[in-house]
Every structure is written in structure tokens, then in C-alpha cells.
Amino acid sequence: MTLTRPSAVVTLDGQRLTSAEGAVARVRVHLGLGPAHDLVECFCWPSSKLKGATAGGTLTVALGGVGEEQDVFVGEVSDVRLAPDGVVIEGLAATIALSRSFVSQSFLDLSIADIVQQLADAAGVAVDDVSGDTVLSAYAVDDRRPVWGYINELAQLAGADVVTTVSGALKFAAPAASDGAGGVSGALAGAASLLLGGASNGLRFGANVIDWRAAARVVSEPASVAAYGSGSESGSEKWHWIRRDQDAVGSGRTRVAAAASTRDAASAIADTLAMRARRAARRTTVTVTGDATLRPGQVTQVSDLPGDAGGELRIVAAVHSLDGDSGFRTRLTLEASQ
């Protein structure tokens, strides 16, 4: 096994500095699934060449062994804090533009993927991939809240992951729509891995896993879903009328999905809510030797945790940290993959 010296590379407005050149004492990168934007904090010495950073500047952070650093964050400087003992530069991912975009628009008979694509385009945010087959008969967006809020609302309906890619682009990844038989077409077990990319290395206690916690949780029964105003069970090809008693899909408390006017759409939303509940029933946190390739949405193999079955788990959050005390470490929060 070859030991490497951990390093960070910070690129500020085109100026590339290693952690040594920039007098960077500590870096912490928070990556997760929406609605929070990815965040980076760089703690620098008072004499740092980065102390001239200004809010709005471009910021890229790479982590890894010296000469092998890989980008983990692309975004902009959101805050610069000066103190007698140093400078703290805080950055937010490029998706922050979606929280600053306000539009008023109605979408008719479009898939969730098409709606998300149009909202991102209007905000000028690059899109790496967007999926979501469920068609909404009507969906309205108004400027009382930002576009980012609507994208995350659509993610709840589609069962999608909202993540920022390593290049700073938006990825909205959802499983396939309902197959009409109460299931979801395609293999849900592999959906996250196929859409978001599997982690390159497995996680094994005694090898790269330093610390861990595992829990099985009791989760609330997912809500059943009723289409708004649907008076027919024949799908989207039939006329509908409003009726008092909604026929919901599922067995839990009823949620009326105003954006869904057919039983087909309600069934697809119910499937995604059930999938989220199954995943949330398991929650594991592990701390591993630093690995810049680990990102939210990936499915990875976890093994050899004493008393825990391990297996395929999905990363929902990753915190990459580099400092003089612990070196480069990555803390992951994982859930069941299906």
C-alpha cells in the first residue's frame, strides 16, 4: 500500500493554488441531495493569498493526494469572513442560481423531466441529465418562491434525486414511471446506480472504513395518493369529472396530488413515495479514508461491519474534510438502495 500526502487545490477566479501555496489550514465540502445546495468552507491563515476573495467569484476545490487531486466542488464564493486568526471562504454550488430565479409559468401535459429542463434553462443552469416520465396535466409555477423550490417539489412527486455533478451541473434522476400494474417499470434496485453512477470502490471495515454507525428505523407508512378531480379509472385517454370521494392508490393517509389528474399519475407518485419509505428504513454512517470520487446518489457495497449485514447502500450525503489533524477523510450517510 502506497501512502500519499493529502492535498487540496483551490482555484479562485482562475488562480490555481495548492493548499500549501494558499496557506489553507482546513477544507470541508458538504455534498448532499436537494433541497440544500452543496457547500464548501475553506479556512485559511491570515497571510493567505486567497484573502482577497470577493463574494460572487468563481470557486473550484479539488481534493486527493499531492498531484492527484480531483474536483469535488464547482460553484461561487458566497461569503468571505475575516478574523484576526484567519480568513474563511464559503462557497455554494452553481445550482444556487435556481434559488435566485423567480418565474411565473404554467405547464400543460408535460412530463416532469420536461418541466425541470425548462425551469433550469430559464435560470441559466447547466443540466447534466434529467429524467421523470410521469406526465402532469397541469403544473403552475409563480414568482412567490424560487425555481429551486419547485424543482425539489417535483422531485418528491417523481421520487427523484436532485444532485449537483462534479462539474457543477444539475442532475435530476428519477426511476421509470409506473408500469400500470402497481409496480415501477425497470429494475428499481439498480435505478440509482444506473442513473447516478455507482461508487468505484467498495467500503470495507478494516480496510478503508475507519468508523461506522448502523441503524434500522421505523418509518411512517407512506401516504396513499389520489388524483385531483379524477372521476374515471380508465387512465389519461378518458374524460374526467370532479367527484367528492377520491379513490386513492395505497393504504396510508390520503394525499391529493393537485398536479395529477389521472389515476396513472397518482399510481406513479404512490410508487415513488413507497420506494422512499423503504430506503429510509435503514440508515448507516461511515467514515472512510478520503475518497473524492464518492458522491451522493451513488450505490456502493458496504461489507464487514461487525453485526451488520452491509450490502448495497445508497449515499445520500458526503462530507469531505482535509485538515492537519486527521488528514483527508470522507464521512458518508447511506440508506437502503431499494
Side-chain angles (χ1 to χ4, degrees), residues 154-237:
L154 289 167
Q156 290 291 322
L157 296 178
D161 289 331
V162 179
V163 294
T164 305
T165 67
V166 69
S167 64
L170 173 71
K171 177 169 281 192
F172 186 98
S178 172
D179 60 7
V184 176
S185 60
L188 279 179
S193 180
L194 291 172
L195 292 169
L196 296 172
S200 58
N201 300 308
L203 309 178
R204 184 167 65 87
F205 184 63
N208 54 353
V209 174
I210 302 168
D211 190 21
W212 62 277
R213 300 287 186 276
R217 308 190 301 175
V218 175
V219 296
S220 301
E221 183 179 5
S224 55
V225 180
Y228 180 76
S230 175
S232 168
E233 309 249 333
S234 302
S236 57
E237 299 303 317

Side-chain angles (χ1 to χ4, degrees), residues 79-123:
D79 185 64
V80 181
R81 301 190 294 274
L82 305 178
D85 59 347
V87 181
V88 181
I89 301 172
E90 185 176 286
L92 290 171
T95 52
I96 187 61
L98 294 166
S99 287
R100 299 172 182 155
S101 177
F102 297 82
V103 299
S104 292
Q105 186 174 352
S106 294
F107 301 91
L108 301 177
D109 294 322
L110 287 178
S111 69
I112 288 178
D114 290 336
I115 296 172
V116 171
Q117 181 71 59
Q118 291 188 32
L119 290 174
D121 289 345

Side-chain angles (χ1 to χ4, degrees), residues 36-188:
H37 296 286
D38 290 348
L39 167 73
V40 65
E41 297 170 299
C42 296
F43 302 83
C44 309
W45 292 104
S47 60
S48 172
K49 296 178 182 178
L50 297 168
K51 65 181 180 181
T54 57
T58 60
L59 182 66
T60 300
V61 174
L63 297 173
V66 174
E68 300 177 346
E69 298 91 348
Q70 299 184 55
D71 287 350
V72 293
F73 174 88
V74 175
E76 66 174 55
V77 177
S78 59
D79 185 64
V80 181
R81 301 190 294 274
L82 305 178
D85 59 347
V87 181
V88 181
I89 301 172
E90 185 176 286
L92 290 171
T95 52
I96 187 61
L98 294 166
S99 287
R100 299 172 182 155
S101 177
F102 297 82
V103 299
S104 292
Q105 186 174 352
S106 294
F107 301 91
L108 301 177
D109 294 322
L110 287 178
S111 69
I112 288 178
D114 290 336
I115 296 172
V116 171
Q117 181 71 59
Q118 291 188 32
L119 290 174
D121 289 345
V125 172
V127 176
D128 178 86
D129 182 40
V130 58
S131 60
D133 298 332
T134 301
V135 174
L136 303 182
S137 56
Y139 188 77
V141 173
D142 66 62
D143 58 10
R144 289 177 295 179
R145 58 178 171 139
V147 164
W148 183 245
Y150 289 103
I151 287 178
N152 282 278
E153 179 179 80
L154 289 167
Q156 290 291 322
L157 296 178
D161 289 331
V162 179
V163 294
T164 305
T165 67
V166 69
S167 64
L170 173 71
K171 177 169 281 192
F172 186 98
S178 172
D179 60 7
V184 176
S185 60
L188 279 179

